[in-house]
Amino acid sequence: MTEASDNGAMRAVKDCLAGSVGGIAQVFAGQPFDTVKVRLQTQPDVYKGTMDAVRKTLQNDGPSGFYKGTTTPLVGVGLCVSIQFLVMEHMKRTFGRINSTPSGQAPVLTPVQLYAAGATAGIANSVVSGPVEHIRVRLQVQTSGAAAQYKGPGDCIRQIYSSFGLKGIYKGQLPTILRELNGYGMYFLAYEALVQRKMASTGKARSEISSALVCMYGAAAGFAMWLTSYPIDVVKSKLQTDGFAGDKRKYSGSIDCLRKTIQQEGAKGLFRGITPCLLRAAPANAATFIGFEMAIRALG
């Protein structure tokens, strides 16, 4: 094995480890907001709005209700974010070579290249994020106690797989792929463009950008992602909490779900739950990028 391939493998390991740190930080910062978002998206007849969802969740499940389904994303999101950053950093280096970036110099990518790199990372990520989010949202929308259908992530996976196989685990995968493609295209475009601009205007290295700015850029990336992809996320959540067969199944697919949502709730139904989503975007994504950047700096 050559020295270059050794360095490439070590770089990939560091990207994965740093991504895991960012993913874990994201879960702890964003899970309560995500629980409220999913409940609003999938149960419009139960919750009147964000504060009503917060109040009823506290009333019915207690404070722990906001962290329902956390085990799955804690493991899964760590893996997902590892994949995102691994692929994104690889694509940046690839485009850097295409752009003939001098050795040792940080690659500067065009907006189209940044979007393409992020979209590629999103598609790769969807292989894991699809089933992880499917299990998470099913656990998030069920109430606690004897009425709960699933005892936990393992039981949820076991029940779905035993009845519907791998296809059941990957329910809602098409809108997941579409959301990840555009969402992470916009996500990394926003963050990396801001970082590149700061480096160009100040002459500073990436590692010299302040933690406060990293958090601000991460928050901006979160807003860019959700403001351009939220309706797709609503369709995904509705499909992933829908029944699997018979009378329990409301939607035959993504287009049917989109049509029925607009028919029954109007266009605003495609933005239901966006308030907690946007409230989550700043802390969760600031935590993601500060976790990643600090870990990369520590790993060298």
Side-chain angles (χ1 to χ4, degrees), residues 106-129:
V108 177
L109 276 59
T110 67
V112 171
Q113 289 174 331
L114 288 173
Y115 181 90
T120 303
I123 293 171
N125 171 62
S126 70
V127 177
V128 177
S129 68

Side-chain angles (χ1 to χ4, degrees), residues 8-271:
M10 184 53 67
R11 182 74 269 162
V13 169
K14 290 179 179 179
D15 291 341
C16 280
L17 290 173
S20 294
V21 173
I24 291 168
Q26 180 186 114
V27 172
F28 281 115
Q31 182 72 0
F33 298 99
D34 193 68
T35 297
V36 173
K37 180 203 76 169
V38 169
R39 290 189 171 197
L40 285 169
Q41 285 178 333
T42 61
Q43 299 172 323
D45 53 332
V46 177
Y47 305 109
K48 297 175 184 177
T50 301
M51 293 312 299
D52 184 52
V54 170
R55 182 179 60 80
K56 287 180 178 175
T57 299
L58 277 172
Q59 188 178 68
N60 296 328
D61 302 310
S64 63
F66 293 105
Y67 282 91
K68 293 182 78 170
T70 299
T71 305
T72 306
L74 197 57
V75 176
V77 172
L79 178 57
C80 286
V81 179
S82 290
I83 293 170
Q84 291 165 23
F85 281 100
L86 171 64
V87 176
M88 182 64 192
E89 293 301 312
H90 173 75
M91 292 299 294
K92 281 166 58 179
R93 289 190 286 271
T94 299
F95 280 126
R97 288 192 294 272
I98 292 171
N99 295 348
S100 300
T101 303
S103 178
Q105 184 177 317
V108 177
L109 276 59
T110 67
V112 171
Q113 289 174 331
L114 288 173
Y115 181 90
T120 303
I123 293 171
N125 171 62
S126 70
V127 177
V128 177
S129 68
V132 166
E133 293 201 13
H134 181 200
I135 301 306
R136 175 168 67 173
V137 297
R138 287 198 179 271
L139 292 172
Q140 284 176 322
V141 299
Q142 71 175 7
T143 54
S144 302
Q149 183 178 356
Y150 307 112
K151 297 175 183 177
D155 182 54
C156 184
I157 293 169
R158 181 186 58 78
Q159 286 192 44
I160 293 172
Y161 185 77
S162 63
S163 299
F164 305 101
L166 198 61
K167 184 178 180 181
I169 296 293
Y170 274 90
K171 186 175 174 66
Q173 188 64 10
L174 177 59
T176 299
I177 293 171
L178 293 176
R179 186 200 67 178
E180 305 291 65
L181 185 157
N182 179 70
Y184 284 103
M186 295 301 297
Y187 185 69
F188 284 111
L189 166 59
Y191 181 79
E192 294 292 339
L194 288 168
V195 169
Q196 287 186 175
R197 181 179 178 183
K198 186 64 177 178
M199 291 169 65
S201 65
T202 63
K204 290 184 177 181
R206 189 184 187 99
S207 60
E208 296 175 311
I209 296 175
S210 70
S211 297
L213 282 177
V214 169
C215 288
M216 287 175 59
Y217 296 165
F223 289 132
M225 176 180 183
W226 289 110
L227 287 172
T228 58
S229 302
Y230 193 79
I232 306 172
D233 186 67
V234 171
V235 172
K236 179 200 76 73
S237 293
K238 284 178 177 285
L239 285 175
Q240 290 184 331
T241 54
D242 192 21
F244 288 93
D247 295 338
K248 293 182 178 180
R249 186 177 183 184
K250 296 179 184 177
Y251 312 112
S252 61
S254 299
I255 298 300
D256 184 53
C257 179
L258 178 65
R259 182 179 60 80
K260 287 180 178 176
T261 298
I262 294 174
Q263 188 178 68
Q264 295 166 11
E265 303 174 46
K268 67 180 182 180
L270 296 174
F271 292 90

